[in-house]
Amino acid sequence: MRPSVRTTGVLAVASQLWNGRGWARGALAVLVGGLAMITLLSGPVGWMLDGAPWSAVHLDPGFVSLAAVRSVHVLAVWAAIVLMFRPAASVYLRPT
């Protein structure tokens, strides 16, 4: 599936959450929390499972910036999921 199609789908579901649809919260948790995490973490986890030695890591600016951006992205996704299920967020959702 093309990235633009995935992004459009996630934005469509996010707009439903913004409009107070409670079902969108669970859908976003699965889509973003599950599927997006798989794509974000599959590269690094696959590299580690292949038995690549840590000495093979080249700490050049490209690698460091990619690792930093990926780490911040993972933390932001988990923070969004946690905040989305806080009781204070339920005030904005209509009963389904």
Side-chain angles (χ1 to χ4, degrees), residues 22-92:
W23 61 265
R25 184 167 39 180
L28 282 174
V30 170
L31 289 173
V32 177
L35 300 177
M37 280 297 129
I38 290 171
T39 60
L40 276 171
L41 298 175
S42 63
V45 169
W47 180 77
M48 288 188 296
L49 290 176
D50 284 342
W54 286 103
S55 61
V57 175
H58 300 289
L59 295 177
D60 60 349
F63 176 83
V64 172
S65 62
L66 178 65
V69 167
R70 191 173 288 213
S71 299
V72 169
H73 191 171
V74 168
L75 291 174
V77 167
W78 284 109
I81 290 171
V82 168
L83 293 173
M84 192 168 54
F85 284 96
R86 302 259 314 151
S90 297
V91 173
Y92 299 100

